[in-house]
Amino acid sequence: MHTQPDHAGGLLATGGPTFPRGVALLANSLLNKGTAFTEAERDALGLRGLLPPRVFTIEEQLFRVYGNFSRKTDPLEKYIFLTTLQNRNETLFYRLVQEHAEEMIPIIYTPTVGQACLEYGAIFRKPRGMFISIRERGRIAEILRSWPISDVRMIVVTDGERILGLGDLGALGMGIPVGKLSLYTACAGLHPYYTLPITLDVGTDNLKLHEDPLYIGLKQKRVRGAEYDAFLAEFVDAVQKAYPKALLQWEDFGNTNAFRLLHDYREKILSFNDDIQGTASVALAGIIAGLRLTGGKLSEQKLLFLGAGEAGTGIADLFVAAARKEGLSEAAARARCWFVDSQGLVVRGRPGKLAAHKEPYAHEHPVVATLAEAVEAVKPTALIGVSGQARAFTQSIITRMAALNQRPIVFALSNPTSKAECTAEEAYRWSDGRVVFASGSPFPTVTLNGRTFVPGQGNNVYIFPGVGLGALVSESTQVTDGMFLTAAETLASLVSEDDLALGRIYPALSKIREVSLKIATAVAAQAHREGLARVPRPADLEGDIRSRMFEPVYRSYV
Ligand code: NAD
């Protein structure tokens, strides 16, 4: 995998027979430079007359696009603007995103991407990525051949059943694979050439979409059961044959399919589920960094989760792995994780059937109905919201956490902002500023009694780009729990004392490329340690990875 993937005869091979000219070059977002094509390039590549005469530098173009971006006041309008730029000139798009990471990431991903998905049909302009529908069963290999790039390395795929905390959005969920892959490039320097967003459209059970005249997907109920499984199996097989080195990232599948798909494929193909494993890693990193404020060891923590889905049980599973590393038995580590779901505390013998992923955390305990009672019963050191239930952490619950702990850990991770279990301001205010807080979506700085707190955002973007890059550069055959654990430890180690002084348990997003590089290095090293790498380990692993990272600068084509 190179910094610039100019494979002989490939799309990007300057001067090669397939290198586009004229309007075709302007229409190719990977190659287009717009007004920055030089005089020599304009002559050599048939661009004379197709562009205004003045040649701009990328800095001058940035001044223009950032100005246009800033004039838009509505986040969704900003999203549309950025998407259009991305489809026109990816180098400029990534340069803009990279230079203003803290401002842009909340637009290209959460929280704005949630709104963009809800309105994906209404704001649809140009397709990006591939849509493969259940009607195309039996033809997936043929369909993948329509993609213009033969060396895809990173696929993010969704079936749109559980988009963020917004539920079943069917084909509108495409905003998520598109956004995640943009983050791979912006945050970890994965060349956009290697990336392919895919939506598998098996229908939607969101009946409002069946009525929506602007809906872009199949207006039918979701296909489930054997037909769904066969469709997914055909898809995985076709991807492996077309792109044998690709990493497949499962994204925003409904939780019955998400756990099954991860379980069925994680040892067969290079794949992971960011909602389960990436979330786990970023949340665990927050807890590890938070311990520098609270004191105590990881294995001494008692976690109470609101929400026992992909995020919650994923975090608990990784916590168990980390606590075992500190010497706890698996049973003892699991006993430190408790869950409240929509039926109350998850306990053994509770009426109704428990989903398989909750079983390991169903402890012996009398039935408890509410979160407030569960806090009393469990006396947690950390309360973690992953339920999609807005405002579930009430004043009395936070106050109680603050009475039980000198420095309570409270994470309100549900996205988007409207679904957060509490706001940053509430958490700080109700705990007299003692809370160690993180949220899924960003909250503004909070000032309380003259002190300033910068709430940390437990954004998966800290983890998955580095993990993916590390797995790809080492050509690992799998993505393991050990890799997510080392990613969490690495991320926590990058939180500075200055960050902690502001209450922030994650590094500033402006450092994201350096964070991703360090995580990629740790993950690749882990792949080599676990014997999963398919390439020899370079002497200078970090230097080697750094040299492969895509930089959004214009290359000369003549
Ligand atoms: P999921 O659908 O797999 O799980 C949701 C869980 O919440 C289920 O166990 C459900 O029973 C439970 N729940 C629903 N209503 C409840 C109620 N009234 N009381 C208690 N529990 C209730 O979803 P998920 O993937 O686990 O994601 C959950 C939330 O976490 C989403 O809002 C998502 O945006 C957020 N999330 C945040 C991050 C992050 O911040 N980095 C990452 C992943 C997910």
Side-chain angles (χ1 to χ4, degrees):
M1 215 174 96
H2 307 282
T3 318
Q4 294 291 342
D6 320 6
H7 312 287
L11 183 72
L12 306 188
T14 313
T18 55
F19 193 81
R21 294 170 51 83
V23 282
L25 180 54
L26 297 179
N28 185 315
S29 61
L30 285 171
L31 296 169
N32 185 23
K33 306 183 192 179
T35 51
F37 278 110
T38 61
E39 301 287 1
E41 286 168 335
R42 292 171 187 220
D43 281 331
L45 297 166
L47 295 168
R48 235 350 117 201
L50 298 179
L51 291 163
R54 189 179 140 206
V55 175
F56 281 63
T57 63
I58 196 164
E59 288 75 19
E60 289 167 332
Q61 290 181 317
L62 274 172
F63 175 71
R64 170 161 41 82
V65 291
Y66 186 58
N68 290 338
F69 172 88
S70 305
R71 262 192 294 281
K72 304 206 178 290
T73 48
D74 174 33
L76 189 62
E77 287 298 326
K78 288 182 190 251
Y79 175 90
I80 295 169
F81 174 81
L82 288 179
T83 306
T84 310
L85 176 61
Q86 185 178 24
N87 287 336
R88 187 170 74 238
N89 180 340
E90 302 209 26
T91 314
L92 187 57
F93 166 80
Y94 284 112
R95 184 71 177 266
L96 179 69
V97 171
Q98 214 166 292
E99 293 207 355
H100 302 275
E102 304 214 30
E103 193 177 353
M104 301 287 161
I105 290 173
I107 304 290
I108 58 176
Y109 208 67
T110 52
T112 304
V113 76
Q115 189 62 27
C117 285
L118 288 168
E119 305 201 30
Y120 214 72
I123 67 174
F124 183 82
R125 277 150 174 75
K126 191 178 180 210
R128 191 172 175 87
M130 299 196 85
F131 292 86
I132 303 174
S133 91
I134 190 83
R135 290 198 193 147
E136 276 111 38
R137 238 191 99 183
R139 297 175 50 199
I140 300 179
E142 171 202 331
I143 287 167
L144 288 181
R145 282 196 287 278
S146 300
W147 189 248
I149 288 157
S150 57
D151 190 18
V152 168
R153 301 290 180 99
M154 176 60 73
I155 294 173
V156 176
V157 61
T158 188
D159 73 355
E161 188 173 6
R162 201 244 51 197
I163 294 299
L164 306 171
L166 301 169
D168 184 351
L169 297 185
L172 303 182
M174 184 52 133
I176 299 297
V178 167
K180 282 238 152 141
L181 285 166
S182 300
L183 295 182
Y184 264 109
T185 301
C187 303
L190 187 72
H191 198 294
Y193 172 92
Y194 289 125
T195 65
L196 172 54
I198 298 183
T199 286
L200 299 176
D201 187 346
V202 297
T204 173
D205 290 347
N206 181 342
L207 299 183
K208 277 199 304 217
L209 297 178
H210 294 195
E211 307 299 319
D212 180 352
L214 297 177
Y215 183 58
I216 55 173
L218 295 183
K219 292 190 170 185
Q220 63 175 59
K221 296 279 287 251
R222 276 185 181 273
V223 168
R224 299 190 185 274
E227 197 183 343
Y228 178 92
D229 289 351
F231 181 59
L232 267 288
E234 183 193 339
F235 169 70
V236 168
D237 186 56
V239 162
Q240 273 211 293
K241 292 201 171 104
Y243 311 120
K245 290 182 176 173
L247 197 170
L248 194 57
Q249 180 172 322
W250 306 105
E251 193 65 40
D252 284 3
F253 283 74
N255 72 25
T256 46
N257 288 326
F259 286 112
R260 269 178 339 106
L261 290 169
L262 180 62
H263 176 266
D264 290 354
Y265 290 112
R266 63 178 300 178
E267 286 173 13
K268 292 192 189 134
I269 58 165
L270 179 63
S271 62
F272 70 91
N273 180 309
D274 187 51
D275 310 305
I276 300 173
Q277 297 163 288
T279 305
S281 190
V282 78
L284 185 68
I287 297 173
I288 296 172
L291 293 178
R292 283 158 62 191
L293 293 168
T294 63
K297 286 166 62 179
L298 189 74
S299 52
E300 294 162 358
Q301 304 310 304
K302 211 181 232 191
L303 314 186
L304 177 62
F305 294 87
L306 180 70
E310 297 173 40
T313 54
I315 299 168
D317 288 349
L318 199 63
F319 170 84
V320 168
R324 288 185 68 187
K325 231 173 126 183
E326 282 189 1
L328 282 196
S329 69
E330 179 160 345
R334 288 204 192 281
R336 307 199 76 80
C337 301
W338 293 78
F339 284 87
V340 171
D341 65 9
S342 52
Q343 308 301 309
L345 194 63
V346 173
V347 292
R348 216 147 269 300
R350 196 177 77 173
K353 189 171 158 31
L354 265 192
H357 60 276
K358 300 181 191 175
E359 284 283 351
Y361 300 103
H363 307 306
E364 290 295 344
H365 194 280
V367 170
V368 169
T370 66
L371 177 64
E373 291 166 313
V375 169
E376 271 333 305
V378 174
K379 301 199 168 39
T381 57
L383 179 62
I384 300 175
V386 273
S387 61
Q389 298 303 304
R391 298 295 186 275
F393 295 169
T394 57
Q395 181 167 5
S396 61
I397 285 173
I398 303 282
T399 312
R400 190 64 191 128
M401 282 298 293
L404 290 168
N405 301 281
Q406 179 53 34
R407 298 295 310 262
I409 295 175
V410 175
F411 292 175
L413 295 180
S414 288
N415 292 316
T417 319
S418 59
K419 302 273 180 184
E421 283 81 3
C422 65
T423 67
E425 204 265 333
E426 288 166 345
Y428 288 113
R429 188 156 39 87
W430 294 337
S431 68
D432 290 327
R434 284 188 283 123
V435 75
V436 175
F437 178 80
S439 53
S441 298
F443 279 107
T445 297
V446 174
T447 309
L448 187 76
N449 303 331
R451 279 189 70 193
T452 299
F453 299 93
V454 180
Q457 189 194 353
N459 191 330
N460 291 30
V461 77
Y462 285 115
I463 294 290
F464 71 82
V467 169
L469 184 66
L472 285 178
V473 293
S474 59
E475 298 196 11
S476 181
T477 52
Q478 285 179 40
V479 188
T480 63
D481 285 344
M483 294 178 190
F484 283 104
L485 196 48
T486 193
E489 290 163 351
T490 305
L491 177 58
S493 75
L494 297 172
V495 179
S496 68
E497 292 304 316
D498 288 347
D499 290 324
L500 290 177
L502 294 168
R504 180 162 66 192
I505 50 171
Y506 294 100
L509 266 182
S510 54
K511 300 196 180 132
I512 188 67
R513 278 177 76 97
E514 203 53 30
V515 167
S516 298
L517 171 64
K518 297 279 186 209
I519 290 178
T521 306
V523 165
Q526 182 76 13
H528 287 285
R529 261 197 307 279
E530 292 187 36
L532 299 171
R534 284 176 286 187
V535 292
R537 185 188 159 128
D540 175 9
L541 191 53
E542 184 175 321
D544 178 69
I545 296 174
R546 189 190 294 276
S547 72
R548 292 159 188 264
M549 286 169 76
F550 166 78
E551 291 291 341
V553 292
Y554 291 136
R555 286 185 308 144
S556 171
Y557 299 146
V558 291

